[in-house]
Amino acid sequence: MAQLTVSDLAAQGDRLGIRHSAGPADGRAVVRVDVSPLDLLGTVPAGTLVIVPGTEHPPPYRLDVALRQASAREVAGLVFTTELTLPDTARVLADRGGVPVFAAPDARSADLALVVDRLLSGGASEAIMRATHAIEKATEAAAGPDGTPEHILAEANRMLGSELALVEDASVTWSAADAVCVGEVPIGRLVGNRSDPAMAIALPVVASLLSRAAQRQISDRFAPTQSRADLIVELVLAESHRVEGFVGQAAMLGLPLQLSHVAAWLVPTGLDNPEARAPRSVQPALELFALQLVDGRDEMWHVAFVQDDLLLVSTEEHGAGDHQRRLREVAVRLQEYARGLTGHGWEYTLGLGTPQTGAAGLRSSAAEARIAAGSAIAAGRLGSVELTDVTGLRRVLLDVYASPTSRSLLADILLPLDALGPERAHISVQTLLAYLSHRNSLAHAGRELNLHPNAVGYRLKRVRDTLQLDLDDPDTRFAVELACRVRLLGASRR
């Protein structure tokens, strides 16, 4: 400690066993410490912290004389090793004369002088002593009933005589000595208000205690939500005939399946390797951010993971307005945060379902969100926010398009057209779809395409010759029309 002041002594009162009783506890310097009886105050030099030995309470008149002498000698302060009760006259004299007065009940004057002298010297032993006391008190606070991070930090600061503070820092790594984490997810770092050897010694231990307290606080706060999220994952992935079996479990966990649910599905994709798994550190950090983000909102929220994908569900009373919009606000913030976690080389695509009621509705909304995100990725729209179309046919097409197997099988039907070149292949698919969707009518297809029926027939002859398919066969027509719709769906989403 570069310069010991009276305010430093007051700040470390609990550790030193002293209590400020009267006079200013200001920034005046303590130059030295001495053990001296009251009748020798006239001999001590200025700037001395005088420790008055003895267990007997001084008489009031003797206190008044001592305070006047201490003021005249400009001592740094008086410390009485007894339970001190100052009369009003003594308090007035201490305040007017600028004499700080402390009480150290039952303290040994020589031991107290030694401790203060170590503070004055500012050596390694003093730093270790303060750090040890800070760690002891912080540990006791962590084990107590009020073991919150705030209480732990306050106890450590009280012993150190300095101020450690928890500041947000997204760049800190979980392995850093000053990192405060929940699991391996950093929530900030511990920093001091000045350069202090004792603080440097105590800081890693205090940071560790804060981390464990924060982990316990988060677990207690969000455990019910996380249990319900696990059940939602089971419900979403279960076979349809098992849905009713989840109703009882949901009721026990406080999940009102009978209400309205809307889901969002967030999918990570590696830009260099689409099959790569997202970094291991992303999931816990994203979950913690999501839980804190929705905490305190009116809706009931659940955050779950299906492998690397994040599933976000919002639940509330049926008929509440803007349910999907409010889900989107939260989901988009999660999407942005996830991008920040992974940095370059990764993109997050967001699919949004529609609000639906009951257990089956929750499953359906989650399926819509997953399909919307999957189809956007398949169409090359990485990083987009994809809404579910409300028409039944488009949902079916999205489901087909989102399936790599189904998309590949249907693409094989039209693959020969690609030999014509991208533009001519696209025109051929449009013409073929118009013809098939109008029950093989050249006239109706021509009106849709703004072409003469003969022009449509000419194009179709080329298509038939290329595909070598019997378009008069009902099953073939159905498969080809589905293939055309899926291909054009993908083209429209690029």
Side-chain angles (χ1 to χ4, degrees):
M1 191 174 290
Q3 177 67 66
L4 181 68
T5 66
V6 172
S7 60
D8 292 329
L9 290 174
Q12 298 186 60
D14 287 337
R15 180 175 72 83
L16 298 174
I18 65 175
R19 183 184 68 251
H20 180 238
S21 298
D26 53 18
R28 74 184 66 191
V30 178
V31 179
R32 61 182 58 81
V33 61
D34 193 8
V35 178
S36 175
L38 290 180
D39 55 7
L40 295 180
L41 277 181
T43 64
V44 298
T48 302
L49 180 71
V50 179
I51 299 176
V52 182
T55 57
E56 297 295 326
H57 195 287
Y61 78 91
R62 191 72 188 89
L63 275 175
D64 292 350
V65 172
L67 288 169
R68 288 189 176 93
Q69 287 182 317
S71 177
R73 300 294 298 178
E74 296 184 344
V75 302
L78 298 176
V79 182
F80 292 87
T81 58
T82 185
E83 188 66 57
L84 193 63
T85 303
L86 292 177
D88 291 340
T89 54
R91 290 182 182 278
V92 171
L93 286 172
D95 291 337
R96 288 180 179 175
V99 181
V101 179
F102 293 88
D106 303 322
R108 291 176 49 126
S109 55
D111 293 342
L112 182 58
L114 179 61
V115 172
V116 176
D117 187 63
R118 286 176 178 171
L119 283 172
L120 288 168
S121 64
S125 60
E126 182 274 331
I128 293 172
M129 180 177 63
R130 281 194 294 125
T132 301
H133 280 85
I135 291 170
E136 287 176 353
K137 289 298 182 182
T139 303
E140 290 175 7
D146 186 26
T148 63
E150 294 78 13
H151 184 51
I152 293 169
L153 199 54
E155 288 298 290
N157 286 338
R158 200 160 55 86
M159 294 296 104
L160 286 170
S162 303
E163 184 178 350
L164 287 169
L166 178 61
V167 299
E168 292 185 5
D169 186 351
S171 65
V172 65
T173 59
W174 69 269
S175 57
D178 58 353
V180 178
C181 309
V182 175
E184 292 185 4
V185 181
I187 59 175
R189 68 167 66 241
L190 203 56
V191 298
N193 64 337
R194 61 181 175 181
S195 178
D196 183 353
M199 187 182 297
I201 296 169
L203 189 147
V205 180
V206 176
S208 177
L209 290 170
L210 291 177
S211 296
R212 279 182 277 175
Q215 174 74 64
R216 181 176 60 191
Q217 199 173 56
I218 291 292
S219 297
D220 293 343
R221 188 176 182 181
F222 296 120
T225 300
Q226 292 169 322
S227 297
R228 290 192 291 265
D230 293 339
L231 180 65
I232 286 175
V233 171
E234 288 188 58
L235 174 62
V236 168
L237 299 180
E239 298 291 337
S240 57
H241 69 272
R242 295 183 53 218
V243 170
E244 294 304 321
F246 288 93
V247 175
Q249 298 178 53
M252 288 189 290
L253 290 174
L255 173 59
L257 285 179
Q258 74 279 8
L259 298 186
S260 177
H261 315 279
V262 61
W265 201 285
L266 189 63
V267 182
T269 305
L271 300 182
D272 295 330
N273 180 12
E275 302 302 322
R277 296 291 303 271
R280 186 172 65 90
S281 60
V282 170
Q283 190 172 119
L286 191 56
E287 180 182 30
L288 178 61
F289 178 78
L291 291 172
Q292 293 175 326
L293 186 62
V294 301
D295 187 41
R297 292 181 65 105
D298 293 335
E299 311 86 2
M300 178 180 286
W301 294 84
H302 302 94
V303 182
F305 286 89
V306 181
Q307 294 185 342
D308 289 343
D309 298 355
L310 182 144
L311 171 61
L312 178 69
V313 177
S314 174
T315 299
E316 60 180 317
E317 292 291 339
H318 180 57
D322 295 332
H323 197 175
Q324 189 186 63
R325 178 189 61 77
R326 284 179 278 116
L327 172 83
R328 177 172 181 162
E329 289 176 354
V330 174
V332 167
R333 289 193 61 185
L334 290 177
Q335 183 184 35
E336 294 169 352
Y337 185 76
R339 287 174 180 150
L341 287 174
T342 51
H344 298 296
W346 287 88
E347 189 54 88
Y348 279 79
T349 307
L350 178 63
L352 301 176
T354 57
Q356 301 186 50
T357 58
L362 192 157
R363 282 167 54 87
S364 180
S365 185
E368 290 174 350
R370 176 183 59 81
I371 292 166
S375 62
I377 293 170
R381 293 173 53 112
L382 297 178
S384 63
V385 178
E386 202 72 15
L387 296 173
T388 298
D389 195 298
V390 296
T391 63
L393 176 59
R394 191 164 178 81
R395 289 189 192 181
V396 172
L397 290 176
L398 284 172
D399 203 356
V400 173
Y401 188 75
S403 167
T405 302
S406 299
R407 196 168 63 249
S408 177
L409 290 173
L410 293 173
D412 287 344
I413 297 175
L414 303 176
L415 185 62
L417 293 177
D418 292 334
L420 302 175
E423 184 175 355
R424 293 178 66 186
H426 183 68
I427 292 173
S428 297
V429 172
Q430 287 181 316
T431 304
L432 185 55
L433 179 58
Y435 174 71
L436 294 173
S437 61
H438 288 290
R439 298 185 180 182
N440 293 13
S441 170
L442 295 176
H444 286 86
R447 280 196 292 271
E448 180 179 325
L449 298 170
N450 292 320
L451 292 174
H452 191 277
N454 291 342
V456 176
Y458 173 76
R459 287 184 181 180
L460 285 171
K461 182 180 184 305
R462 182 179 61 192
V463 170
R464 287 175 183 268
D465 292 342
T466 303
L467 295 180
Q468 294 293 309
L469 296 173
D470 181 7
L471 297 181
D472 295 322
D473 178 72
D475 290 341
T476 302
R477 283 204 311 271
F478 174 78
V480 173
E481 181 178 352
L482 183 59
C484 290
R485 289 186 181 277
V486 169
R487 175 175 282 211
L488 293 177
L489 174 67
S492 70
R493 301 167 79 80
R494 287 186 170 85

